[in-house]
Amino acid sequence: MSSSENQPLYAPREPIFPRRVKGFYRNLKWWVMAVTLGIYYLTPWIRWDRGPNLPDQAVLIDMAHRRFYFFWIEIWPHEFYFVAGLLIMAGLGLFLFTSALGRVWCGYTCPQTVWTDLFILVERWIEGDRNARVRLWNADWSFRKARLRITKWTVWLLIAVATGGAWVFYFADAPTLAVSLATFSAPPIAWATIGVLTATTFIFGGFMREQVCNYMCPWPRIQAAMMDPETLTVAYRDWRGEPRGKQRVEGAGDCIDCMACVNVCPAGIDIRDGQQMECITCALCIDACDDVMDKIGKPRGLIDYLALSDQEEEAKGKPAKKLWQHVFRFRTVLYTAMWAAIGIGLVFALFIRADIEMTVAAVRNPTFVTLSDGTVRNIYDIRLLNKHGEDREFHLSLTSDEILRIDLEGTAQRNVVVPANETYLQRVYVSARPIDPASTTDRTDLRFWVEDLLSGERAHKDAVFNGRAQ
């Protein structure tokens, strides 16, 4: 029996205590955290005037009325292809950035990374830097240890509650929901959503951290298909750093084995061992190593963003390729072209879509009705969609090569008022007199027309009139 059969599929979590580090990439991560968290928490409170009959929240997912509002854009249920297109663009964007810069999404903008960074920041403020946290972890329980832990967990919980609370504001008017939450009169679904997101944020960001990336997220296993030898990712120049050692002897490499790169890593890995699934390319090890190189008088870049092909060339003493040669290659250009094509298509579809729409459904039980005077009647249900922010009067008509008459149920006129941002169902009767050819023809093509009497905009749908077969 091989030893691999005795290895567990899930390894117990070893606590990781990342050390504080300063540098370009750490500052970049701070800025990304501030921007992303700012967008997440503040967006529901942005107001956008759409008129008296529409919500004034800039970004709103209105499940009750089945609408999605994004500033001046309003997406209806039948326009879900816009959302599908955005999801495809997000996927292609992820492929693009991964093929060019490795797991840059995971290292900087993934919600798990952002909230974990925030939780580690709180942990460092309360318990101290790496060495202090290690000592506290190994110490026996005492009043001080309990006080620090409870304080840390309390702040984590407050952040988690704010996370879940911010999410529900995207699905209802934020000020109104905030008042109902404060007065404990919010609907149960709001409390349930906040509870679930609070629990997951608290557990994932505080206690599972890198385990979420290693065991729950599929992307570490998919990323290999998106990367090639030209992909820029965080790597160690072993040809320069080896042999490593604390003693500076003749022939030694630049690496002094100070473990700074390991101590700052939020995944607890050693980048000097090569590419690993756990690495999220957050580049904190680059900052830590550059700081050490500055102190010992060695050039920066022992750990850096580089491609596998560059590493092989540099080891031979040849210069590395320029950045643009790694970024602009067939795969990335293809992804960019596909991403741009879908984006342009969505924008085009957004600008050409009509403000009025109609759907026609024939009532086929029975297929037709013969009146006492021999007139043949077909019945249709027409749904009229008014996307304007005010009530509009629509005029219904039809065209056909044969003589047909249209009548609207409930009114002697052919006009109907459709409320603002609503779908209106109107039953329509189409008739053919006994002397008209359509009454005795099995199928007669016709076209329904709807016209907005205020703007003059028109829409149409084709249908079929069924008569008595000879």
Side-chain angles (χ1 to χ4, degrees):
M1 181 181 295
S2 64
S3 59
S4 61
E5 296 180 2
N6 298 323
Q7 296 178 359
L9 294 176
Y10 179 85
R13 181 177 185 267
E14 293 289 338
I16 299 173
F17 306 96
R19 181 174 65 81
R20 182 185 180 191
V21 63
K22 294 181 180 180
F24 172 80
Y25 295 105
R26 178 64 271 181
N27 291 335
L28 178 61
K29 284 173 66 66
W30 288 138
W31 279 106
V32 171
M33 177 194 295
V35 171
T36 52
L37 290 179
I39 292 174
Y40 177 72
Y41 287 116
L42 298 179
T43 297
W45 301 95
I46 301 175
R47 301 293 98 184
W48 188 270
D49 186 13
R50 298 186 178 89
N53 299 311
L54 292 173
D56 63 352
Q57 187 162 309
V59 179
L60 176 65
I61 304 172
D62 190 352
M63 301 296 290
H65 298 93
R66 297 179 298 174
R67 309 280 172 77
F68 171 58
Y69 299 96
F70 185 81
F71 293 92
W72 64 91
I73 300 174
E74 180 180 352
I75 303 299
W76 291 66
H78 66 285
E79 296 174 327
F80 190 80
Y81 56 86
F82 283 108
V83 179
L86 290 176
L87 292 176
I88 295 173
M89 288 183 67
L92 288 174
L94 191 58
F95 295 164
L96 169 62
F97 283 108
T98 301
S99 62
L101 298 171
R103 292 178 62 186
V104 66
W105 158 263
C106 300
Y108 294 91
T109 53
C110 174
Q112 175 66 17
T113 298
V114 172
W115 265 272
T116 296
D117 256 4
L118 182 58
F119 276 34
I120 292 176
L121 178 63
V122 170
E123 187 175 66
R124 186 179 295 121
W125 280 345
I126 295 173
E127 297 182 351
D129 205 358
R130 170 181 164 78
N131 293 337
R133 299 203 305 277
V134 172
R135 288 194 299 269
L136 185 67
W137 176 269
N138 294 324
D140 295 332
W141 278 98
S142 62
F143 175 77
R144 177 179 177 275
K145 183 173 182 177
R147 174 177 59 82
L148 293 176
R149 287 294 171 82
I150 292 174
T151 303
K152 178 181 70 174
W153 293 339
T154 301
V155 178
W156 282 358
L157 191 60
L158 292 175
I159 295 173
V161 171
T163 301
W167 179 253
V168 297
F169 290 145
Y170 284 88
F171 295 85
D173 182 67
T176 304
L177 181 58
V179 172
S180 63
L181 289 172
T183 57
F184 298 98
S185 59
I189 187 63
W191 293 110
T193 302
I194 294 174
V196 170
L197 291 178
T198 297
T200 52
T201 304
F202 182 72
I203 295 172
F204 291 170
F207 302 98
M208 295 184 65
R209 293 181 183 173
E210 71 287 344
Q211 299 293 83
V212 173
C213 303
N214 296 342
Y215 294 102
M216 298 177 64
C217 179
W219 190 240
R221 294 158 178 83
I222 298 174
Q223 64 164 340
M226 300 293 106
M227 298 172 63
D228 57 38
E230 300 297 325
T231 300
L232 291 170
T233 187
V234 177
Y236 168 65
R237 288 186 166 97
D238 55 354
W239 58 267
R240 175 185 152 188
E242 302 298 324
R244 71 185 77 158
K246 298 184 182 299
Q247 299 296 326
R248 298 288 83 197
V249 297
E250 184 178 355
D254 289 350
C255 179
I256 61 174
D257 204 19
C258 62
M259 301 296 289
C261 57
V262 179
N263 292 336
V264 301
C265 180
I269 65 171
D270 190 341
I271 192 63
R272 297 170 299 178
D273 293 337
Q275 287 297 308
Q276 298 157 68
M277 183 191 71
E278 294 83 359
C279 179
I280 61 173
T281 66
C282 64
L284 295 182
C285 54
I286 297 178
D287 287 336
C289 187
D290 284 348
D291 182 59
V292 173
M293 292 298 104
D294 290 343
K295 291 178 179 178
I296 66 175
K298 295 290 185 178
R300 290 186 166 204
L302 181 60
I303 299 176
D304 203 353
Y305 270 102
L306 68 151
L308 181 61
S309 60
D310 279 349
Q311 193 169 17
E312 295 173 352
E313 293 299 312
E314 287 183 11
K316 299 175 183 177
K318 298 179 181 180
K321 291 182 181 179
K322 294 182 180 181
L323 176 63
W324 68 268
Q325 292 178 302
H326 290 293
V327 174
F328 297 102
R329 58 187 195 276
F330 177 76
R331 174 182 289 190
T332 57
V333 171
L334 177 61
Y335 287 148
T336 303
M338 295 171 62
W339 185 88
I342 295 174
I344 293 172
L346 291 178
V347 172
F348 180 75
L350 186 65
F351 278 98
I352 67 170
R353 65 177 183 170
D355 289 325
I356 64 171
E357 294 184 16
M358 69 184 303
T359 59
V360 178
V363 177
R364 294 307 187 196
N365 189 19
T367 305
F368 62 88
V369 176
T370 303
L371 304 183
S372 58
D373 62 353
T375 298
V376 176
R377 171 183 289 178
N378 283 200
I379 305 173
Y380 304 85
D381 284 334
I382 297 181
R383 291 187 181 273
L384 302 173
L385 176 59
N386 175 20
K387 295 183 180 180
H388 294 283
E390 58 185 1
D391 297 351
R392 291 293 180 96
E393 186 175 11
F394 289 174
H395 176 72
L396 283 169
S397 61
L398 66 80
T399 56
S400 177
D401 293 336
E402 304 295 340
I403 300 175
L404 294 171
R405 174 184 174 85
I406 180 174
D407 296 290
L408 275 61
E409 186 177 73
T411 177
Q413 305 295 323
R414 294 181 181 176
N415 296 343
V416 60
V417 177
V418 181
N421 273 276
E422 293 290 342
T423 300
Y424 185 85
L425 178 62
Q426 176 65 52
R427 175 152 288 190
V428 173
Y429 303 104
V430 178
S431 306
R433 298 172 302 176
I435 60 174
D436 296 328
S439 64
T440 55
T441 302
D442 185 34
R443 293 169 60 89
T444 301
D445 293 330
L446 63 95
R447 173 171 290 180
F448 287 102
W449 288 89
V450 58
E451 180 181 2
D452 184 345
L453 296 180
L454 181 62
S455 65
E457 186 176 4
R458 304 180 73 193
H460 68 270
K461 285 292 181 182
D462 293 328
V464 173
F465 180 86
N466 293 100
R468 300 189 306 269
Q470 293 286 358

